């Protein structure tokens, strides 16, 4: 493993020299010089096509970036993760979300246990349970089938299930409505409880630790709401749990039969493949859930075996490193041109920023180059009418990932063509921009007077040369969604390997959990409230007045 500074790596230095020249390149010229640029800079795997030709790079750039990946021991680190080494060193844990999507026939022995066997035991439980709910064999306390599923969880115990259930909306069982409550803000749970009936609702309490304050409070409130309508003995038909902490689930009153376990080697933001994905399995059925796992596994195999030159996660990750560490781009925008992927940017925010938002290396030394950029975005075409202005003409360089499906899941005429046309037109416009001459001749053709042309010209010029990737799939389906998520998981891993950081801990988030606990007791009037800085003391005092009214 490499322990030295990233900036001392020979390939990093060669890239710095190369950058001095490459930063001047115009993508327009790169394209006009080589009409085969699309075939040279695009690659396909696991049902996904990655077009990275609209980037400020050439073959030399790519070869230096891949050399950097090798110098940072990407291949060794990748092998260490897949084999179950404890690469999450600060928590002394293996990182094995990839084992959650291994086929039943595989075997992976870690600490003397075959994790694949354990994974499939839980999957069998998920299958049996989801079949009972979907068939209506599992009934609520009034003998009627379940119609509403409320997942109570936060972070990785919410974002994955919610994003995937939305993404696969056309596959959802017609009797089932899925609801997701994450925020400790009571408005979240209140709004959902107003929509459902206790007799036909199943609550899933999803928490890796089963201690997260937000989830525990929401779970307790949901339980009290249920008990206002029905008795304790009806609870087991309406409350199940997913957790690594079986004991705490039992203490909450969950029937051990209805506890779905997972393991500490599954990070929260990587847990949708585990029983945390139960809402998805219930929604789309176990067979489709298995296709989702298979799609993730197909990307794992590709990531492990494809040469780096054709390896989608490696390319996506290293192109990101190029912009972050050499162009200094501080953010990346995710633009899914698919309404059902509306939660995908939020999902990636946790995946990327909780994983790679780190300022020290795995060895605890300060990093010598920037790490994770800000990840943000929204669906197209909506974003075009909101923040795309800044992407086209703002002062910062922000790469964009466009994501689209070639075929829609609806039968509405004309819509999909317009959607795809917009997606491709935007990436083309980012790349080409619009020159002064083009703007001038356009306005001249419209017979705009010369003085007006002169005054409008600077506003109507687009610098272009703004980079993007485009990821295309045939259809948004369980397998392609699985491959897409795994693609980004491994992209995060590639970047973490190059930056030399631990992608799998989240100490920054843990801090918030402790701090809020103290202030909570102060707001409740249980302890002194003048122990903070003047601002915090003042805010607490103001809130105490309002809370006691
Ligand atoms: O937000 C911090 C975090 O630890 C995430 O990593 C995790 O997904 C979330 O809290 C929820 O944790 P749990 O599943 O243990 O309730």
């Amino acid at each position: 493993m490499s322990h030295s500074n990233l900036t001392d790596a020979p390939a990093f230095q060669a890239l710095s020299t190369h950058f001095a020249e490459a930063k001047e390149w115009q993508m327009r010229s790169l394209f006009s010089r080589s009409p085969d640029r699309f075939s040279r800079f695009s690659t396909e795997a696991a049902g996904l096509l990655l077009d990275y030709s609209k980037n400020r790079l050439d073959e030399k750039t790519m070869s230096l970036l891949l050399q950097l990946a090798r110098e940072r021991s990407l291949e060794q680190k990748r092998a260490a993760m897949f084999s179950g080494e404890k690469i999450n060193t600060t928590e002394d844990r293996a990182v094995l979300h990839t084992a959650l999507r291994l086929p039943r026939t595989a075997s992976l022995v870690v600490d003397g246990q075959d994790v694949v066997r354990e994974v499939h035991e839980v999957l069998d439980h998920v299958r049996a349970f989801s079949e009972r709910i979907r068939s209506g064999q599992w009934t609520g306390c009034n003998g009627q089938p379940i119609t509403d599923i409320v997942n109570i969880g936060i972070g990785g115990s919410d974002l994955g299930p919610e994003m995937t259930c939305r993404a696969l909306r056309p596959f959802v069982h017609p009797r089932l409505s899925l609801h997701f409550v994450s925020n400790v803000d009571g408005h979240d749970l209140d709004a959902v409880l107003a929509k459902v009936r206790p007799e036909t609702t199943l609550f899933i309490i999803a928490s890796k630790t089963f201690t997260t304050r937000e989830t525990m409070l929401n779970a307790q409130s949901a339980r009290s709401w249920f008990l206002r309508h029905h008795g304790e003995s009806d609870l087991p038909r309406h409350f199940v749990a997913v957790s690594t902490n079986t004991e705490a689930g039992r203490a909450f009153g969950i029937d051990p039969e209805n506890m779905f376990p997972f393991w500490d080697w599954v990070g929260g933001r990587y847990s949708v493949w585990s029983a945390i994905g139960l809402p998805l399995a219930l929604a789309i059925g176990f067979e489709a859930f298995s296709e989702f796992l298979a799609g993730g596994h197909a990307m794992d195999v590709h990531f492990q075996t494809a040469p780096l030159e054709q390896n989608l996660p490696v390319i996506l990750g290293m192109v990101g490193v190029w912009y972050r560490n050499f162009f200094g781009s501080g953010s990346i925008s995710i633009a899914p041109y698919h309404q059902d992927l509306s939660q995908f940017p939020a999902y990636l925010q946790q995946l990327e920023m909780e994983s790679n938002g780190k300022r020290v290396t795995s060895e605890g030394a300060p990093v010598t180059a920037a790490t994770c950029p800000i990840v943000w975005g929204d669906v197209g075409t909506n974003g075009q009418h909101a923040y795309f202005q800044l992407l086209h003409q703002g002062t910062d360089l922000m790469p964009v990932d466009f994501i689209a499906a070639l075929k829609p899941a609806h039968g509405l005429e004309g819509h999909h063509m317009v959607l795809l046309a917009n997606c491709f037109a935007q990436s083309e416009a980012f790349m080409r921009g619009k020159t002064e001459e083009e703007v001038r001749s356009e306005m001249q053709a419209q017979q705009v007077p010369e003085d007006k042309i002169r005054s409008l010209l600077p506003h109507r010029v687009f610098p272009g040369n703004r980079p993007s990737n485009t990821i295309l799939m045939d259809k948004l389906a369980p397998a392609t969604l699985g491959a897409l998520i795994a693609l980004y998981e491994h992209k995060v891993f590639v970047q973490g390997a190059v930056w030399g950081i631990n992608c799998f801990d989240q100490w920054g988030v843990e801090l918030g959990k402790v701090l809020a606990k103290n202030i909570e007791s102060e707001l409740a009037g249980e302890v002194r409230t003048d122990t903070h800085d003047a601002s915090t003391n003042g805010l607490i005092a103001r809130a105490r007045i309002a809370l006691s009214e």
Side-chain angles (χ1 to χ4, degrees), residues 154-157 207-209 212 268-269 350 354 506 509 513:
I154 196 164
S157 301
S207 175
K208 180 175 168 181
T209 53
T212 305
R269 52 194 173 273
Q350 188 200 21
E354 202 168 82
Q506 57 285 316
V509 188
K513 296 187 183 176

Side-chain angles (χ1 to χ4, degrees), residues 198-235:
E199 302 76 39
T200 51
T201 299
L202 176 79
F203 290 92
I204 301 173
I205 315 301
S207 175
K208 180 175 168 181
T209 53
F210 225 80
T211 57
T212 305
R213 184 75 178 111
E214 292 94 326
T215 301
M216 291 303 103
L217 191 53
N218 278 323
Q220 289 296 351
S221 301
R223 187 177 193 272
S224 310
W225 173 83
F226 182 84
L227 291 177
R228 282 203 292 280
H229 299 90
H230 299 284
E232 289 262 358
S233 59
D234 293 323
L235 271 174

